[in-house]
Amino acid sequence: MENPASKARKQAAARLKSKKGTPDSRELVQQISRGDTPALARAITLVESTRPEDAALSGEIVDACLEKAGSSIRVGITGVPGVGKSTFIETLGLQLVGLGKKVAVLAVDPSSSLSRGSILGDKTRMQELGRSPGAFIRPSPAGDSLGGVARKTRETITLCEAAGFDVVLVETVGVGQSEIAVHGMVDFFLLLKIAGAGDELQGIKRGVMEMADAVVINKADGPNLPAARRAQSTFSQALHLFPPKENGWVPRVLLCSSTEGTGVREIWELIDSFATGARADGSFEMRRSAQNLHWLKQRLEHLLTSGFYQDPAMQKAYEEMKLRVTRQEISPFRAADELLSAYRGR
Amino acid sequence: MENPASKARKQAAARLKSKKGTPDSRELVQQISRGDTPALARAITLVESTRPEDAALSGEIVDACLEKAGSSIRVGITGVPGVGKSTFIETLGLQLVGLGKKVAVLAVDPSSSLSRGSILGDKTRMQELGRSPGAFIRPSPAGDSLGGVARKTRETITLCEAAGFDVVLVETVGVGQSEIAVHGMVDFFLLLKIAGAGDELQGIKRGVMEMADAVVINKADGPNLPAARRAQSTFSQALHLFPPKENGWVPRVLLCSSTEGTGVREIWELIDSFATGARADGSFEMRRSAQNLHWLKQRLEHLLTSGFYQDPAMQKAYEEMKLRVTRQEISPFRAADELLSAYRGR
């Protein structure tokens, strides 16, 4: 057993180090709510930290920021690589900054162009927006699972809102589960497409079309314009296949050229009118509430199952049981029952 | 403490009752493997039982039957109400019986036409097939959750296979999660449609089209025929939107009239050629294996989470935490962490 005097000394040293080394949560939250961007960046780093000793402090900060989160609008932006997401986000962001808005740009997905840009040191990506004092760009956090990345991005949104950002743009790449995750954390979900890519209806199949509050045909300029108009018509028809959204919103298909800057103003006006209407009829808060309860349930079930998956003895038993199921020696249901009994008996 | 003599008497009585009352699993399995239909029905009733004392015996029976399950083919059949599922299944079933095959008809979904028919005492449903000695019809089991119903149907398939049934037709209704459940327990998934219902492309949206190994346009007879041919063309094009299936199978769209009996033979030939090819290239067994591992994982995660949800104190804590999340007093992630700590500390 440890010597009590030595233990007390260690605790005192830890307290001292805590005062010197890690910022006090209350002070950090105050700095954030004053719009102090370096403080915001430090808090996000804490939220993104995987060190167990940072968990309590980052939890305190996020909860304190929840109360201060104001009247922002969160916009999810998805599209397959090559569709021009970065240029679109920069053009939209600069336009919003020009309207006097504070804009934060975040990303969900370790493979998103936002993080890839920063990993490759691509200084030209969103360079102009990055220099703007009204903008804050944060690459996708590192994470070993989409759930972890999504959690960090979701909490980072809260910090940005407490820091007074009016618009939070959340970028994701047009593949897999990351679109569902982003759809589950934003107020408005925008699908970016280009004409003539031959994937006009792929979005229906992937289920992303159904999630979209707007479809934007990007690169609608010069010789692309006629094809873009045809795509607009195709997508408008396709959107009518879906049942009306719960909040009564009818998704729109808009054209845009990020390079020429045309159509971007109309997109913001659409998002703004959506937000105004949804705030007025209460559907805005209802959607956010439903999203939060969904995250609660998902995180809870992750925690309830991860104890089993992280237990080395259970991992071994699970692998053995999979073999027995594959060899048809045991029904999958009975196999699960036996694994649970073994887990409970430990 | 209980009197040892009285305890011994009770145990002896229980053994005696067990011998008289509940069938011995080995004997029942032997009867099933001889194709004894009343024994099969008794075993299914055991599998469907919700009494805890039946669980061990039914588990033994299912595991013993797994070894005896032969070279059956499992066909899932879905379609919205009104599409003519019952008549189609009866026509297909009679045709198979005519080819000398033993056919079992099961259903997943408490609301399926199979169970509705039996609940309403609708004696005309599949009446002819029901009278055939080569056929076995079992309505959907009662269950308070789709998971429970799906488990029972999945295990009933095993019992039917051990009883020597060559074809197991699993009916489901064209709504919700039950189609995904049935797709996860069959070798071939068939989507039944009618022309001119105005829902031609709804199946894409719902994701069911992507699961289909064949689409059958039913009621393709008389004045409906031209519309059915147009629908065939539409669906053929729609199916090309999807990426090729892993096993290389290209879904087909066929026409059929259950009342005139036309096209049903071609449907069986298609299913049969699918099975022959899939058995030859190994994809048949691979799909079954993957399905079993999926059921194992799903059941395991259900068991790992249900302890929390069934605990009254945790139910209360969860409801309180939902309120706090809705009031933005706590982040959903931190709320989940706190619920887990409370659960672990009990």
Side-chain angles (χ1 to χ4, degrees), chain B residues 114-179:
Chain B
L114 198 56
S115 59
R116 211 165 46 231
S118 66
I119 287 163
L120 296 176
D122 178 357
K123 299 287 183 206
T124 60
R125 283 195 74 259
M126 304 191 197
Q127 200 178 15
E128 205 181 334
L129 185 63
R131 275 198 303 262
S132 163
F136 177 79
I137 300 179
R138 183 87 182 189
S140 182
D144 50 3
S145 73
L146 175 62
V149 171
R151 173 190 185 157
K152 290 165 189 175
T153 307
R154 182 64 197 74
E155 300 202 322
T156 297
I157 291 176
T158 300
L159 302 184
C160 291
E161 288 177 340
F165 283 89
D166 306 295
V167 184
V168 182
L169 304 177
V170 187
E171 178 196 347
T172 188
V173 72
V175 285
Q177 295 292 305
S178 60
E179 284 170 325

Side-chain angles (χ1 to χ4, degrees), chain A residues 4-243:
Chain A
S6 138
K7 193 175 168 190
R9 266 198 307 278
K10 278 189 189 170
Q11 284 175 341
R15 273 198 300 274
L16 201 64
K17 192 181 166 213
S18 153
K19 274 197 180 164
K20 280 166 75 184
T22 61
D24 172 67
S25 80
R26 224 166 354 173
E27 198 188 321
L28 198 48
V29 171
Q30 277 174 359
Q31 291 169 333
I32 291 169
S33 61
R34 282 196 302 265
D36 178 338
T37 313
L40 171 64
R42 276 204 311 279
I44 294 174
T45 302
L46 262 173
V47 163
E48 291 178 356
S49 165
T50 51
R51 298 194 313 173
E53 61 265 38
D54 291 335
L57 183 60
S58 88
E60 277 172 35
I61 293 168
V62 171
D63 284 353
C65 283
L66 275 175
E67 300 163 17
K68 298 180 186 295
S71 59
S72 77
I73 176 155
R74 309 166 186 165
V75 180
I77 297 170
T78 188
V80 296
V83 84
K85 278 196 299 297
S86 308
T87 316
F88 174 77
I89 291 170
E90 172 153 55
T91 311
L92 178 61
L94 285 170
Q95 174 128 14
L96 292 170
V97 168
L99 291 170
K101 304 215 175 277
K102 286 183 69 183
V103 181
V105 182
L106 312 173
V108 166
D109 202 298
S111 71
S112 80
S113 61
L114 198 57
S115 58
R116 209 161 50 231
S118 67
I119 286 163
L120 296 175
D122 178 355
K123 299 289 185 203
T124 59
R125 283 195 72 262
M126 303 190 197
Q127 199 179 14
E128 205 181 331
L129 185 62
R131 274 198 304 261
S132 163
F136 177 79
I137 298 179
R138 183 86 181 191
S140 183
D144 50 4
S145 74
L146 175 63
V149 171
R151 172 188 185 158
K152 289 164 189 174
T153 308
R154 182 63 196 76
E155 300 202 324
T156 297
I157 290 176
T158 300
L159 302 184
C160 291
E161 289 177 340
F165 283 89
D166 305 296
V167 183
V168 182
L169 303 177
V170 186
E171 177 195 348
T172 188
V173 72
V175 285
Q177 295 293 306
S178 60
E179 283 170 326
I180 295 173
V182 170
H183 180 257
M185 63 177 77
V186 298
D187 306 309
F188 192 93
F189 193 67
L190 192 152
L191 170 61
L192 210 60
K193 304 284 286 187
I194 46 172
D199 68 339
E200 267 73 7
L201 293 177
Q202 287 287 330
I204 299 186
K205 181 193 74 61
R206 286 194 298 113
V208 66
M209 191 86 92
E210 190 164 8
M211 297 193 290
D213 295 301
V215 177
V216 170
I217 319 285
N218 197 17
K219 306 190 184 178
D221 42 37
N224 292 329
L225 198 52
R229 291 217 172 100
R230 282 195 300 275
Q232 183 179 30
S233 161
T234 305
F235 281 112
S236 298
Q237 285 170 36
L239 285 170
H240 280 103
L241 291 173
F242 302 121

Side-chain angles (χ1 to χ4, degrees), chain B residues 327-339:
Chain B
R327 286 196 216 105
Q328 306 228 46
E329 290 167 11
I330 187 168
S331 116
F333 303 98
R334 197 168 151 97
D337 293 347
E338 286 193 11
L339 282 174

Side-chain angles (χ1 to χ4, degrees), chain A residues 197-327:
Chain A
D199 68 339
E200 267 73 7
L201 293 177
Q202 287 287 330
I204 299 186
K205 181 193 74 61
R206 286 194 298 113
V208 66
M209 191 86 92
E210 190 164 8
M211 297 193 290
D213 295 301
V215 177
V216 170
I217 319 285
N218 197 17
K219 306 190 184 178
D221 42 37
N224 292 329
L225 198 52
R229 291 217 172 100
R230 282 195 300 275
Q232 183 179 30
S233 161
T234 305
F235 281 112
S236 298
Q237 285 170 36
L239 285 170
H240 280 103
L241 291 173
F242 302 121
K245 292 190 184 275
E246 268 179 48
N247 57 7
W249 176 254
V250 181
R252 292 275 303 280
V253 186
L254 299 177
L255 300 181
C256 137
S257 164
S258 304
T259 50
E260 295 187 355
T262 54
V264 180
R265 192 169 55 84
E266 288 76 8
I267 292 165
W268 174 247
E269 284 170 0
L270 184 75
I271 296 171
D272 201 35
S273 79
F274 167 88
T276 306
R279 283 210 180 89
D281 68 17
S283 64
F284 194 91
E285 279 311 313
M286 274 174 60
R287 180 162 165 173
R288 285 198 173 181
S289 228
Q291 287 174 339
N292 281 337
L293 295 181
H294 173 77
W295 288 112
L296 169 61
K297 185 169 194 289
Q298 201 173 58
R299 172 76 182 167
L300 178 63
E301 297 190 351
H302 168 76
L303 293 172
L304 287 169
T305 53
S306 60
F308 177 92
Y309 289 121
Q310 285 164 5
D311 182 330
M314 286 300 112
Q315 282 170 6
K316 190 160 169 282
Y318 188 37
E319 291 307 317
E320 284 166 3
M321 207 57 101
K322 281 196 215 168
L323 275 178
R324 290 183 60 200
V325 166
T326 305
R327 288 196 215 106

Side-chain angles (χ1 to χ4, degrees), chain B residues 44-177:
Chain B
I44 294 174
T45 302
L46 262 172
V47 164
E48 291 179 355
S49 165
T50 51
R51 298 195 311 174
E53 60 267 37
D54 292 334
L57 183 60
S58 88
E60 278 172 35
I61 294 168
V62 172
D63 283 354
C65 284
L66 274 176
E67 301 164 16
K68 298 182 187 294
S71 60
S72 77
I73 174 154
R74 308 166 188 166
V75 181
I77 297 171
T78 187
V80 296
V83 84
K85 277 196 300 296
S86 308
T87 315
F88 175 77
I89 291 171
E90 171 152 54
T91 310
L92 178 61
L94 285 170
Q95 174 127 15
L96 292 169
V97 168
L99 291 169
K101 304 214 175 278
K102 287 183 68 184
V103 181
V105 183
L106 312 174
V108 165
D109 202 299
S111 70
S112 81
S113 59
L114 198 56
S115 59
R116 211 165 46 231
S118 66
I119 287 163
L120 296 176
D122 178 357
K123 299 287 183 206
T124 60
R125 283 195 74 259
M126 304 191 197
Q127 200 178 15
E128 205 181 334
L129 185 63
R131 275 198 303 262
S132 163
F136 177 79
I137 300 179
R138 183 87 182 189
S140 182
D144 50 3
S145 73
L146 175 62
V149 171
R151 173 190 185 157
K152 290 165 189 175
T153 307
R154 182 64 197 74
E155 300 202 322
T156 297
I157 291 176
T158 300
L159 302 184
C160 291
E161 288 177 340
F165 283 89
D166 306 295
V167 184
V168 182
L169 304 177
V170 187
E171 178 196 347
T172 188
V173 72
V175 285
Q177 295 292 305

